[in-house]
Amino acid sequence: MLNIVLFGPPGAGKGTQSKRLIEKYGLMHLSTGDILRCEIADETALGIEAKKRIDKGELVPDSIVIGMISNILDHNKYSAGFIFDGFPRTTVQAEVLDEMLELREMKIDRMLALQVHEDELKKRLLIRGQKSGRPDDQDIRIIERRIHIYGETTAPVIDFYLKQDKYSPIDGIKTEEEVFAQIESVIKEILSSDQ
Ligand code: AMP
C-alpha cells in the first residue's frame, strides 16, 4: 500500500499531478475540495454550510473534512493506496489523519510538497477560474485570502511531516512532465525501500 499526501498552495498543480499518479499507480484520489464541490452541487446541508466558507476563501471546519475522510477510508479498505489532495490543511487534520490511519493499520508514506511562488500561483488560478468557472478562482481578493491562509495555517503542516522524516519538496514551477518525473523518483525510492 502506498499513501501519499500531495501538498502545496492553491494552484500548485496538486489536481494535475494527482491524475497522473492515479493512472500510473492505481491509487485512490481523495480530494476534500472535489468532495466539498460535489456536496455544494447536490445542495446538501454540509454543502450549503461549506459554500459560505469556500466562497470567502476560508477553510471549512476541521470536523467536517475529518468526517468526510473517515467515511471514505471505511468504504475503500482494499484500495492500493490513497492520494490525499488538499488534506490535511491544518496541523489538527494531520494529527487526526495519523490516528485514523493507525486505527486501520495504515500510515502516510510521504508528503510530496509542490513549491510554486505567489505570482505564479495567482496567474495560474485566474486562468483556471476562466476555464472552470470556480467562483473562488475568479476574484483576486479571494485568491489572495486563500494564499494567505495557506501560509498561516496550512504551511505549518510541513513541520509535522518533517519531524517524521516524510517531507519531500518538489519544484512545481517546471513543466507537468518534469514535475511528475520528480514525484516518480521519490515514489520509486519509497517502493524500493519497502521491499
Ligand atoms: P481545493 O479544491 O483543495 O482548492 O479546495 C477548495 C476549498 O475547499 C478550500 O479553499 C477550502 O475552503 C475548502 N477545503 C478543501 N479542503 C479542505 C481542508 N482539508 N480543510 C478545510 N477546508 C478545505
Side-chain angles (χ1 to χ4, degrees):
M1 192 174 210
L2 178 65
N3 296 309
I4 300 288
V5 170
L6 195 53
F7 192 79
K14 301 188 292 293
T16 307
Q17 296 299 328
S18 290
K19 282 193 199 120
R20 288 175 174 260
L21 278 166
I22 297 160
E23 263 171 39
K24 180 106 195 208
Y25 297 98
L27 303 177
M28 165 130 198
H29 186 209
L30 222 160
S31 156
T32 39
D34 284 352
I35 301 166
L36 289 166
R37 280 185 288 279
C38 283
E39 297 279 344
I40 292 172
D42 292 346
E43 297 181 358
T44 64
L46 190 156
I48 291 164
E49 198 46 44
K51 184 172 165 40
K52 292 182 202 157
R53 313 273 183 134
I54 293 175
D55 284 355
K56 282 193 271 182
E58 307 286 335
L59 294 182
V60 168
D62 287 338
S63 55
I64 291 188
V65 283
I66 287 167
M68 290 176 351
I69 296 282
S70 171
N71 247 324
I72 293 173
L73 292 177
D74 284 339
H75 287 101
N76 295 280
K77 284 185 185 143
Y78 304 108
S79 164
F82 294 90
I83 304 167
F84 295 90
D85 165 0
F87 181 91
R89 253 180 165 97
T90 65
T91 303
V92 168
Q93 290 179 18
E95 287 165 357
V96 177
L97 177 61
D98 264 11
E99 287 165 17
M100 288 192 295
L101 292 176
E102 207 180 319
L103 276 174
R104 294 163 176 87
E105 295 180 350
M106 293 160 64
K107 64 171 171 46
I108 293 296
D109 292 292
R110 196 68 63 99
M111 168 201 253
L112 299 166
L114 298 172
Q115 296 180 319
V116 176
H117 60 78
E118 188 165 338
D119 288 347
E120 175 70 14
L121 295 174
K122 288 182 192 169
K123 201 172 85 189
R124 288 187 188 178
L125 289 169
L126 286 169
I127 293 171
R128 186 171 80 183
Q130 285 169 5
K131 290 186 198 145
S132 71
R134 265 179 69 169
D136 58 343
D137 282 348
Q138 293 184 27
D139 181 332
I140 189 66
R141 281 163 309 170
I142 307 292
I143 288 173
E144 282 169 350
R145 180 83 191 125
R146 287 160 64 204
I147 294 173
H148 176 77
I149 291 178
Y150 170 81
E152 292 284 302
T153 311
T154 304
V157 176
I158 289 175
D159 286 340
F160 182 85
Y161 290 101
L162 247 179
K163 282 186 195 138
Q164 297 187 14
D165 212 12
K166 291 180 178 173
Y167 167 68
S168 292
I170 303 286
D171 180 356
I173 281 290
K174 305 224 164 102
T175 64
E176 270 181 48
E177 288 74 22
E178 286 167 336
V179 173
F180 191 63
Q182 293 174 71
I183 291 177
E184 273 203 290
S185 85
V186 177
I187 290 184
K188 278 183 191 144
E189 176 213 312
I190 301 168
L191 294 176
S192 66
S193 67
D194 262 6
Q195 284 163 1

